[in-house]
Amino acid sequence: MAAAGRLRRRVLLLAVPWRWRCSPRRGAAGCPPAGQVRAAFLRFFEERHGHRRLPSAPVRPRGDPRLLFVNAGMNQFKPIFLGTAHPRSELAQHRRVVNSQKCVRAGGKHNDLEDVGRDTYHHTFFEMLGNWSFGDYFKEEACSMAWELLTEVYEIPKDRLYVTYFAGDSSLGLSADEECRDVWLCLGVPASHVLPFPLKDNFWEMGDTGPCGPCTEIHYDHVGGGRNAAALVNQGSPDVVEIWNLVFMQYSREVEGNLLPLPQHHVDTGMGLERLVTVLQNKHSNYDTDLFTPILDAIHKGCGGPRYQGLVGDADVGHVNMAYRVVADHVRALCVCITDGIYPGFSGAELVLRRILRRAVRFCSEVLHAPPGLLASLVPTVVEVLIMDVINENEAAFQSSLERGRRIIERTVQQMEPSTYFPAEVAWSLYGNLGFPLDLIDLILEEKGISLDSAAFNELALEDAKQKAGGPPAGQLEDTNTCLDVHSLAQLRSSNVPATDDSPKYAYTLGQHGRYEFSPCQATVLILYRDQSLQKEVGAGQRCGVILDRTNFYAEQGGQASDQGYMIHLGQQDILFPVQSVRLCGGYVIHEVTAVETLRAGDQVQLFVDEAQRLACMANHTATHLLNFALRHVLGDNTEQRGSHVTAEWLRFDFNTTGPVTVEQLQQVEQVVQDVIKRNEVVHTAEVPLMLARRVQGLRAVDEGYPDPVRIVSLGVPVESVLTCNSEAAMQTSVELCCGTHLLQTGAMEDLAIISERQLVKGISRVIAVTGSQAKQAREAGQCLAMEVDSVSLRMKERSASIPEMQNLSKEVGQLTKAEEKAQSMLAKHCNQPVIIDTVPADSLSILMKVVNQLCDKSPGTSVLLLSPQASGEVLCACQVSKNCLPVFSAADWAVAVCTQMEGKAGGSPVVAKGSGNAKGMQRALTTALEFAQSKLLK
């Protein structure tokens, strides 16, 4: 009883218990949704008991050929239990861990497939909530944590809970686990609710050999009402079910069958999310919870038969309710398995998944009499129900950035003088490079009693907005930190400083699930460049150019925008040097960096590219090659490129033409591109001698100097094939000389839409296009415009309008068209921005307002303010605020603040407003517009 005494004293010393933030009233309409139940479990162990939260492993097992699917939360930790984890691996460093693991039990030792549908609690796919201790805490703490979570956090009535423990086994020489029993009694569980059970119920083994040990299970009585349900525990009663199993690994079963004590004790617990949610939502069946009811409703809607009633056995006439359960369960399993890379097939896990699919189809067709396609139609509902998986994965992805950001903040605060503002440059780096939301930065600083230098931060934001809006103003000199002057270039060469090896920019691969993986690059600082001079050292806060021996950053060239990202000192994770732009000069790659602390020649650094921006550029650059090929295919072989520019948001392509390009021709061009995208052609690249490359028939190259050797990019045809003598392979696809970064397969482009085409000068046209989700938005916008034009046309047909009326209708069509074109161009320019502030030409305030309306319709979460200077010297202003930002952010107040800077007036509602002013104050007005928006959105 010594352990029980220690535990009793520890319980008395506990502080106010950790609570979940949406404590439910049992049986009320406000029962917690499954997402909150899961989140509360993870937060409890992470925040209250210092566990490390890990993401779920995929359901396809890694490194364990004996398993078809991951069927328990402990699968990914088996190397720790078996002692095979490398001592320097990340896995071996774990002490306390918590997660929610995706599990599939269909096939192999644990196979619930045949039981699914027959009752209300078996599943092929389920989520296992678990906490682990690897040589850290043991029985006292594990039981105490479990009891605290269930009774104090989830507020499950104690009288409905029963716990079991191992009763011992004389044949193995094992005595009863009285230590575990005493822990439960000490926690206040009545003796009548603490029950012993034999080996088959309360002793857990990983396999025929290996770690094993006694376990304690927690069971829940659905009926309650003060009755004693001890006799129903472990008897298969649907009213008394196991909800949590705590395994205490303290033995190892040897080949001879004997048990030896383990040198380290471990805890492995597992609680099915579906069963827990059933308890907390006061249901008797897992299928009555919000994890399944949306899917069951979708099945009913799709098949049109009787609704699901929860019937089982003989009461379920015709097995209709069983069919509902089978289909709902199986479509969840199919979605999760396919997402994790397991597809229906003919062996192993693939064969089992094929069986699950066919079983579901059989119940859909023969029992529910559903039309073909019902199963696939349920996928969106499953995605919606299981969206927390996506959130968990994103949370895990942000976790490392969060930890790094916290270290940066801690280090910066330690170096700050008392009573000073937190540096804006550091906050901007956290925001831009690590994806820290601004409100999170403010919150962390507020907790430390520190304020951000908001004025300096707003200046950085304004500068960034101006750069994105169109680069430096006309007449501004090139940046003196990224463009080497002739003397510095000569000095580098005379000092035998080697040119930068930028081959790592091509070092990326297609990983699991088709995701691109970009490897970081380690490099040495060779020299620094500032104010047109080479320097060995640059102090904190100074902007400079950094020349490295090697880099994975793409420097702006070949029409493709440069990479962005950051670098860190090797082994020093808490200081980021943001890389704003990258230039190539005389073979040297210059990274424009703001030094957060002193940077010196000889420093070892690690480089991290902004992967999202790079991938978007890659997609648009490959799309540019496809567009070049498609234009030539549709308009003729005489069509030649005259220029191009590729950014993460859009691509621009200039070409010669003998006449106007028709809408039909542009549609044909789009179709050619989309056909190649659908075929998911491989993008082949190789470096070859320039002389050999120029012999390729059908090669597309612009009139510029190329390096020797030169890089060939060929879509769908290996470079070796196009280089073959007299080969015409390049005539049937896109083959170009190009130094840019490209997709590895065309399918990642998803789509391409041409959003603009116009003649620059006679004989030269320019098209602007977007890819991916932006292309989809462009098509939807085009459809909306077509509907509006059709509406105007119908009004013209329905009445014999007078000439003035006809003129007004014609003008309205023109305004709609202009507004749509301008909105589409603005959307491409400011992709996924929460606030858009810009200038745009507009003939009238009504057109300007329509452009604003169109932008907000296409991007509902965005607030927009546009200014339009007129020939008369007047500036028009129109704005609209996202409803998500009300009431803090008012369009009327925004417009008044902006127009006041132009000595003008404005008015409107909280959502939309307009006004005008004088052109002399337009620059001040733009600055005010951004500052006003930030002051509201940062609150």
Side-chain angles (χ1 to χ4, degrees), residues 159-179:
D159 63 353
R160 290 197 179 197
L161 296 175
Y162 295 79
V163 297
T164 65
Y165 67 96
F166 179 50
D169 190 291
S170 57
S171 65
L172 293 173
L174 296 175
S175 58
D177 192 358
E178 295 178 352
E179 179 186 4

Side-chain angles (χ1 to χ4, degrees), residues 463-477:
E463 181 181 342
D464 182 70
K466 286 179 178 177
Q467 287 180 352
K468 289 180 177 176
Q476 180 173 311
L477 295 175

Side-chain angles (χ1 to χ4, degrees), residues 221-275:
D221 178 17
H222 279 286
V223 177
R227 72 169 184 167
N228 188 321
L232 298 177
V233 173
N234 278 338
Q235 299 304 310
S237 169
D239 293 329
V240 181
V241 296
E242 173 204 341
I243 59 173
W244 205 346
N245 187 13
L246 285 64
V247 179
F248 307 121
M249 293 193 187
Q250 59 189 91
Y251 302 107
S252 174
R253 185 177 288 280
E254 304 302 303
V255 176
E256 297 79 12
N258 59 312
L259 297 176
L260 296 179
L262 284 171
Q264 269 197 329
H265 291 173
H266 307 301
V267 175
D268 166 14
T269 85
M271 175 161 56
L273 174 68
E274 290 77 5
R275 290 192 182 185

Side-chain angles (χ1 to χ4, degrees), residues 388-421:
M388 279 300 298
D389 278 342
V390 178
I391 294 173
N392 283 335
E393 288 178 10
N394 279 272
E395 177 184 26
F398 179 59
Q399 196 67 41
S400 60
S401 295
L402 179 62
E403 292 173 3
R404 180 175 291 172
R406 282 191 177 278
R407 289 197 295 267
I408 291 171
I409 292 174
E410 294 288 349
R411 180 186 176 94
T412 305
V413 169
Q414 291 173 7
Q415 295 176 345
M416 286 171 53
E417 296 292 333
S419 304
T420 57
Y421 286 114

Side-chain angles (χ1 to χ4, degrees), residues 287-349:
Y287 291 89
D288 291 336
T289 68
D290 64 350
L291 288 168
F292 288 91
T293 51
I295 306 173
L296 295 170
D297 289 342
I299 295 170
H300 172 255
K301 183 178 179 181
C303 70
R307 282 191 173 275
Y308 176 71
Q309 297 175 289
L311 302 176
V312 296
D314 294 339
D316 184 18
V317 179
H319 303 299
V320 171
N321 290 266
M322 178 181 177
Y324 267 96
R325 290 188 289 268
V326 168
V327 174
D329 171 271
H330 287 12
V331 74
R332 280 171 29 114
L334 287 164
C335 288
V336 170
C337 289
I338 291 171
T339 299
D340 281 350
I342 302 175
Y343 300 92
F346 298 94
S347 64

